[in-house]
Amino acid sequence: MRERPIGVFDSGVGGLTVVREIMSRIPCETVLYYADTAHMPYGPRPLAEIEGFALEITDFLIRKGAKAICIACNMSSAVVLDRLSRELDIPVFGMVPPGAAAAAGATRNGRIGVLATEGTVKSGAYRRAITGLKPDAVVLETACPPFVPLVENGLTGDPCCRDTVATFLQPLLEEDVDTVVLGCTHYPFLEEHIRDLAGDRAVIVDPARRTVAVMQSRLERLDLLAENADMPQHTFYASGDDTSLRRLVAAELGLPDAPVYSVDMEKTDAAVAR
Ligand code: DGL
């Protein structure tokens, strides 16, 4: 059981920022990664639809042998983490509770900004989770629709990118937030711009760090941590276009030869190798 993979999913390449953290913190773990690019971006979609996608993907990953599930998407975590944690008999990890805990611990003035997708903002999940831990916190949530396309289209180095980021971040800084949560797993790919613009005015919280720390201690408690020191063979799936997945698996994870398969949920429950 210990050597079985962790199933990780997101709408696209965002969850790779969580895989990166898994690879650095618990390097013996093997990852099965599912990018639901056929339905990306999730941000503008209704929450009920996101729940349906998450249930199907989770089922796929469990059938592929996952010993645990990591919902590496804030919007899906906001919608379905409680349900999956109740219904599955394997551990389930999501982004929002660890991200909220990290932000509540980091703020000094109690003013916290959350950059996220429209859907995550609409769900109110971060506000609830943060004020649940710190009732007097002021949580200002900003939906940033252009951010995911910038990342998926490989434009993070483009000169327009910094200005786009500034348009959404600046109003939060003007509201005197001292902590900014990257409430979408795509946003750490924009972290350089965000840090640069925030300077020393705000601490930047990437929920992936706390999520993977929680994952490590829970797997350890359950005696589910992988121990095999051989290089794990991570596997990647995409339900639609896999161009940016292939690019970032190579460039960000340093795995140019990792297998990337395409999956058609409609037709088959087996992944079809390219
Ligand atoms: N990366 C996802 C998240 O953390 C969603 C991005 C999208 O809108 O597709 O919320």
Side-chain angles (χ1 to χ4, degrees), residues 10-15 39-44 72-77 95 116-118 120 148-149 152 182-187:
D10 179 40
S11 64
V13 295
H39 300 120
M40 198 264 312
Y42 276 2
C73 167
N74 289 262
M75 187 169 167
S76 309
S77 300
M95 310 305 298
T117 64
E118 306 94 295
T120 300
V148 167
E152 290 283 343
L182 306 182
C184 168
T185 51
H186 282 74
Y187 299 178

Side-chain angles (χ1 to χ4, degrees), residues 2 15 24 29 36 51 66 78 89 106 118 125 128 141 156 168 173 177 191 195 198 252 271:
R2 280 193 213 118
S24 111
E29 297 298 333
D36 192 13
E51 179 166 357
D89 54 8
E118 306 94 295
R128 270 196 308 282
E141 296 171 282
T156 53
F168 293 89
L173 297 172
V177 301
E191 193 167 342
R195 280 192 186 281
E252 291 292 332

